[in-house]
């Protein structure tokens, strides 16, 4: 075991999914020294789309063209929801700061406005989201205009079928057609994977050969759609080269997880936190956390110990193992914090799995005070400098509301604001 000297930080963030990454970025942008502990969580499975709030109330599955109008309705009717506790200007600032950190790391998003957008998926269905990667934007406009569009796929790519999309959508989009080609250099390979094609397209020669195969197929197309293969870390460059090479807008279609957009998002977030000077420990797990009045001592897997003045818990739900369930009920895994949950296991699920109201177990989680500090059994903050963010929070069902990234990014912003305020207050008191 390597003995490392015990280091001190303003903030330790536990969990490096969307919420933990966002918290580390916002903390570093405010000048706080920060250590981020844990792996990428659900990010590898992400579609690249950043949902804010698309559906409310979930019982009616009501879609909203504007996430901010949806948030206002949420605040009126479900004030306990974590997103209802954050004001709209803060949410705007959080998203702007998040996508600008991604842009600095080479991953561009379409300009954020007041609207949700409809994005075509690889199943031929539509997904409503707020933050749309720039490589997917031309598809939003093409879908709205039902423009003459050529969808492409590649022989051997099992995870994406342009023909399937056309057969699902063709009645509503008569000028949508599809073509399949061999990917240059992979002609003899029976099965190809999007991540391999994406990496291959970062080489200018492969791009040129691919474009040469595409040009004769364009016909009357005004826009070209293809699976998300336009580069891994260099999607900006590859997308621009495709648009220039074809002389048309080109868009990617998000495919089933785990897929290239998730790899890109994870890579860009890792680059963003590194560029901002955040210390990372991964793959790594926090084993134990003890705290005195003013500092926490964290024991990491591998024997390292660090100290932090504040701690943000972003350990996720059941898949991230922030929450675990057994016969006794749902537990918070790290600190055994009280979990708000149904009174008995019988109440976890509705009889009908597809019940539009969703399942009570999906709304179980940590309750916090107004400053995002999780509560102990007596209803007081468990520790004055401990905060909880993201999907571990109670009173939300991010999947049904389609607010996964919004919940993570906005709660991270709100909690880091509290951390920063507390640091300022401590500094003033020490003068
Ligand atoms: C399949 C899938 C598709 C999705 N698609 C979308 C989408 O299209 N749009 C959208 O907006 N959102 C989407 N999301 C949601 C989004 O990506 C996030 O999962 C969600 O916002 C919750 O993030 P989180 O950080 O709270 O939790 P997680 O992503 O679960 O991250 C928690 C992390 O904490 C770590 N952890 C737990 N305990 C410890 C410990 N003791 N020490 C160190 N680390 C620990 C876990 O390993 C994990 O990495 C999707 C999620 C999934 C799973």
């Amino acid at each position: 075991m390597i003995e490392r000297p015990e280091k001190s930080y303003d903030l330790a963030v536990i969990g490096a999914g969307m919420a933990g990454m966002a918290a580390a970025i916002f903390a570093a942008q405010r000048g706080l020294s920060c250590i981020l502990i844990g792996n990428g969580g659900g990010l590898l499975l992400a579609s690249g789309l950043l949902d804010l709030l698309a559906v409310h109330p979930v019982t009616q599955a009501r879609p909203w063209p504007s996430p901010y109008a949806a948030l206002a309705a949420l605040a009126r009717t479900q004030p306990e929801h974590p997103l209802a506790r954050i004001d709209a200007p803060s949410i705007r600032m959080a998203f702007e700061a998040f996508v600008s950190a991604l842009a600095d790391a080479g991953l561009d998003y379409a300009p954020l406005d007041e609207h949700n957008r409809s994005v075509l998926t690889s199943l031929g269905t539509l997904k409503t989201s707020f933050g749309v990667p720039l490589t997917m934007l031309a598809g939003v406009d093409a879908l709205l205009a039902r423009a003459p569009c050529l969808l492409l796929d590649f022989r051997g790519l099992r995870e994406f079928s342009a023909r399937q999309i056309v057969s699902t959508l063709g009645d509503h989009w008569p000028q949508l057609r599809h073509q399949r080609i061999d990917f240059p250099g992979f002609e003899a390979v029976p099965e190809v994977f999007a991540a391999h094609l994406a990496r291959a397209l970062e080489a200018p020669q492969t791009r040129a050969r691919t474009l040469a195969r595409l040009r004769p197929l364009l016909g009357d197309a005004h826009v070209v759609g293809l699976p998300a293969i336009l580069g891994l870390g260099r999607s900006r460059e590859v997308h621009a080269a495709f648009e220039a090479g074809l002389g048309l807008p080109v868009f990617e279609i998000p495919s089933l997880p785990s897929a290239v957009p998730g790899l890109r998002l994870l890579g860009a977030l890792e680059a963003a936190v590194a560029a901002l000077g955040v210390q990372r420990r991964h793959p790594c797990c926090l084993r134990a956390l003890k705290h005195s009045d003013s500092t926490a001592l964290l024991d990491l897997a591998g024997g390292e110990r660090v100290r932090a003045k504040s701690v943000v818990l972003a350990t996720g739900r059941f898949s991230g193992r922030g929450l675990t369930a057994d016969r006794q009920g749902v537990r918070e895994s790290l600190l055994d914090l009280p979990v708000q949950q149904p009174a008995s296991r019988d109440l976890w699920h509705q009889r009908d799995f597809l019940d539009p109201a969703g399942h009570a177990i999906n709304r179980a989680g940590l309750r916090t005070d107004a400053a995002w500090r999780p509560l102990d059994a007596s209803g007081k903050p468990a520790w004055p400098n401990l905060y909880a963010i993201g999907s571990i929070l109670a009173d939300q069902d991010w999947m049904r509301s389609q607010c996964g990234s919004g919940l993570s990014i906005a709660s991270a912003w709100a909690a880091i604001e509290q951390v920063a305020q507390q640091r300022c207050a401590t500094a003033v008191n020490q003068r």
Side-chain angles (χ1 to χ4, degrees):
M1 188 188 304
I2 302 165
E3 282 278 328
R4 298 196 213 191
E6 202 175 284
K7 286 200 180 160
S8 289
Y9 298 88
D10 291 325
L11 178 69
V13 178
I14 319 301
M18 188 79 82
M21 289 281 194
I25 289 171
F26 299 151
Q29 286 172 339
R30 285 171 181 262
L32 299 172
S33 63
C34 177
I35 181 166
L36 175 62
I37 300 157
N39 306 326
L43 284 169
L44 259 188
L45 303 175
S47 61
L49 298 167
L50 305 177
D51 302 349
L52 174 46
L53 181 62
V55 173
H56 176 73
V58 289
T59 42
Q60 293 165 19
R62 179 178 169 187
W64 288 78
S66 159
Y68 290 102
L71 285 164
L74 184 78
R76 283 193 301 274
T77 56
Q78 210 180 318
E80 70 284 5
H81 192 292
L83 274 174
R85 294 163 41 201
I86 309 169
D87 58 70
S90 296
I91 294 176
R92 284 192 184 90
M93 284 190 283
F95 264 84
E96 289 294 348
F98 191 75
V99 297
S100 118
L102 288 173
D104 290 346
L107 182 58
D108 294 325
Y109 276 75
L112 300 169
D113 57 20
E114 296 293 301
H115 296 99
N116 281 320
R117 293 173 161 121
S118 272
V119 180
L120 183 59
T121 75
S122 60
L123 299 175
T125 53
L126 304 186
K127 162 144 176 74
T128 303
S129 194
F130 179 60
V132 175
L134 206 57
T135 56
M136 298 180 191
L137 185 63
V140 174
D141 300 333
L143 182 65
L144 275 175
R146 301 287 191 266
C149 176
L150 172 64
L151 289 188
L152 284 162
D153 66 16
F154 298 89
R155 198 182 50 74
L157 184 63
R158 303 262 160 88
E159 62 218 74
F160 183 93
S161 163
R163 174 198 235 154
Q164 164 72 39
I165 298 174
V166 173
S167 76
T168 308
L169 274 181
D171 289 348
H172 307 283
W173 194 344
Q175 298 191 76
L176 188 65
R177 61 189 175 84
H178 65 90
Q179 288 279 352
R180 175 165 294 182
I181 61 164
D182 281 315
F183 192 88
F186 288 66
E187 290 84 350
V189 182
E191 190 170 4
V192 297
F193 297 94
H196 298 164
L197 306 189
R199 190 171 292 288
L201 285 177
E202 292 186 346
Q205 271 185 336
T206 312
R207 274 206 303 268
R209 289 174 65 199
T210 310
L211 288 167
R213 287 186 187 183
L214 297 189
R215 273 187 214 102
L217 308 175
L218 292 178
D220 64 352
H222 291 189
V223 55
V224 174
L226 73 184
I229 56 162
L230 297 178
L232 276 176
R234 287 155 56 194
S235 58
R236 182 185 287 159
E237 172 192 328
V238 179
H239 181 240
F242 263 66
E243 293 206 323
L246 297 178
L248 290 175
V250 171
F251 65 95
E252 290 186 314
I253 299 168
S255 37
L256 297 173
S258 59
V260 167
L263 287 169
R264 267 186 212 146
L265 188 57
L266 180 58
L269 286 170
E270 287 180 331
V273 295
L276 286 162
V278 172
Q279 290 296 307
R280 272 208 77 187
R281 295 291 182 273
H282 74 109
C284 185
C285 187
L286 179 68
R287 293 273 183 242
L289 184 156
K290 288 184 208 127
H291 54 81
S292 64
D293 281 353
S294 58
T295 180
L297 182 62
L298 295 93
D299 279 323
L300 311 192
E304 188 184 4
R305 288 183 136 191
V306 296
R307 286 187 184 276
K309 292 176 192 147
S310 300
V311 175
V312 166
L313 196 62
T315 46
R317 303 182 69 74
F318 300 103
S319 62
R321 299 195 65 76
L323 299 179
T324 45
D326 58 25
R327 296 212 159 269
Q328 272 63 53
V330 182
R331 295 181 52 232
E332 188 280 313
S333 315
L334 197 56
L335 302 168
D336 207 15
L337 294 163
V339 175
Q340 176 173 289
Q341 57 189 294
S344 85
R345 280 174 69 108
D346 299 341
L347 302 173
W348 282 10
H349 296 101
Q350 308 275 12
R351 269 184 190 288
D352 177 1
F353 183 70
L354 297 175
D355 193 309
H359 304 285
I361 188 67
N362 294 333
R363 295 185 295 277
L366 300 185
R367 284 177 55 226
T368 70
D369 70 357
W372 304 93
R373 297 176 299 187
L375 305 179
D376 65 15
S378 71
K380 298 209 178 81
W383 179 47
N385 303 343
L386 175 69
Y387 302 83
I389 60 170
S391 60
I392 198 171
L393 296 171
D395 296 315
Q396 53 78 26
D397 181 347
W398 66 264
M399 249 185 236
R400 278 192 160 70
S401 311
Q402 294 181 33
C403 70
S405 299
L407 173 69
S408 294
I409 295 167
S411 62
W413 180 268
I416 294 303
E417 202 153 66
Q418 296 295 326
V419 174
Q421 276 175 19
Q422 205 181 35
R423 289 291 110 229
C424 282
T426 311
V428 168
N429 288 340
Q430 283 170 348
R431 266 186 221 147

